[in-house]
Amino acid sequence: MKCPQCNSTILNENINIQDNIAKCTFCSHIFKASEGLNDTDSKFQINQPPSGAWYEPQPNEVIFGATTRSATALYLIPFTCIWSGFSLSMLYGSQIANQQFSLHESLFGIPFLLGSILLIIQCLMSVFGKVEICANREGGTIFTGIGPIGSKKRFLWREISSINNGISKPWFQRYEQEAIVIEGTSSYTFGGDLNEQRRYYILNALKKMKAQSH
C-alpha cells in the first residue's frame, strides 16, 4: 500500500483493515485503508489508450481524454425530438399560430422547456462530448463538454487525497451512474457519461500522473 499524500510505502503494522485506517510514518498522514488498496493497475499503460480515448504527450504537460460518444444516442435523439417537439408545439406552437400570448400556458410550459434543453445537451454529449485532462507535475485541468464549450475544473496534485471509482446522480436524472471521484481539499465527480473502458483509462491515467508528481 502507498500513502496517497507522499506515495511512501505503508508498513503492515500501520494498517488496520478492520477499522479501515492506515498511517504513514514518513509524513504522518492518516487515511482510509480502502483508499490505499484502490491503487493503479500494475498492467496499465497510459500510452495505450482504448478506442475512443487519446494520449498526447507535450513538452511540459500531458493531454489525455476520451469521447462520451455512446450508442444511447440511437434512441435518445429520436425520443428527444418526439417528446420535445410534441410538448413544446402544444404549449407554445398554438400561441404562435394564433398570435395570442397566454401567461398560464407559458408558465406551465417552463418545466417542459427546461427538460427539452437538458435532453438536447445529453444528445449532443452522446455524439460530440468529451472528457479531457491537461496535466503537469503541479496539477492541471479537467474539461467536460462539447468542443470549447463546457465546464473546467482546476486541481493541484498535492491537494488530492484519493482518486477512485464512485457514484454520481445528476439532479436531472432518476438513476445513479458510475463516475470518477476526486477527493481532497475539494471533491469533484465527473466522467459519468464515459463507458466503462474509457472511464477505467481516465481513472488509472490520473492515478499514474499523481504518483509521478511526487
Side-chain angles (χ1 to χ4, degrees):
M1 184 182 295
K2 298 288 185 179
C3 172
Q5 188 75 22
C6 69
N7 204 41
S8 299
T9 301
I10 306 298
L11 301 177
N12 290 336
E13 55 264 32
N14 292 328
I15 301 173
N16 189 326
I17 296 297
Q18 185 175 358
D19 295 332
N20 195 25
I21 294 176
K23 181 179 180 180
C24 176
T25 56
F26 293 89
C27 68
S28 300
H29 179 57
I30 300 175
F31 58 97
K32 293 180 180 179
S34 57
E35 294 177 358
L37 291 172
N38 194 7
D39 204 355
T40 309
D41 188 342
S42 59
K43 298 180 181 179
F44 175 76
Q45 298 293 329
I46 192 172
N47 59 349
Q48 296 180 7
S51 175
W54 55 87
Y55 171 76
E56 301 172 3
Q58 306 293 329
N60 298 314
E61 62 185 11
V62 169
I63 299 173
F64 57 94
T67 177
T68 57
R69 188 180 300 114
S70 171
T72 57
L74 296 176
Y75 66 84
L76 184 61
I77 293 176
F79 171 79
T80 300
C81 292
I82 296 172
W83 188 87
S84 300
F86 178 77
S87 59
L88 296 182
S89 63
M90 290 292 292
L91 293 167
Y92 297 104
S94 58
Q95 296 184 52
I96 296 173
N98 297 327
Q99 296 183 351
Q100 292 181 349
F101 174 74
S102 172
L103 179 61
H104 176 73
E105 289 187 7
S106 297
L107 293 176
F108 180 77
I110 290 177
F112 294 93
L113 179 61
L114 294 176
S116 297
I117 293 173
L118 291 174
L119 282 172
I120 291 171
I121 292 174
Q122 285 297 106
C123 288
L124 293 173
M125 285 294 294
S126 67
V127 178
F128 305 109
K130 67 177 180 179
V131 173
E132 188 170 72
I133 293 89
C134 179
N136 53 37
R137 287 191 173 274
E138 297 296 324
T141 59
I142 301 172
F143 173 83
T144 302
I146 304 163
I149 303 173
S151 64
K152 184 176 288 188
K153 174 69 174 181
R154 299 185 182 278
F155 64 89
L156 295 174
W157 294 119
R158 66 174 182 271
E159 296 179 350
I160 295 176
S161 59
S162 66
I163 305 172
N164 299 298
N165 267 319
I167 297 295
S168 71
K169 186 178 181 181
W171 63 270
F172 55 85
Q173 291 183 0
R174 295 182 178 179
Y175 57 89
E176 295 181 341
Q177 57 188 13
E178 291 190 25
I180 299 171
V181 179
I182 294 179
E183 295 181 342
T185 304
S186 59
S187 298
Y188 186 53
T189 302
F190 70 100
D193 292 327
L194 297 170
N195 66 24
E196 184 176 358
Q197 191 177 31
R198 296 167 189 165
R199 188 172 58 253
Y200 168 85
Y201 174 77
I202 296 295
L203 173 68
N204 282 275
L206 282 168
K207 287 186 175 184
K208 191 175 186 68
M209 289 291 295
K210 175 173 168 52
Q212 293 176 347
S213 67
H214 296 290

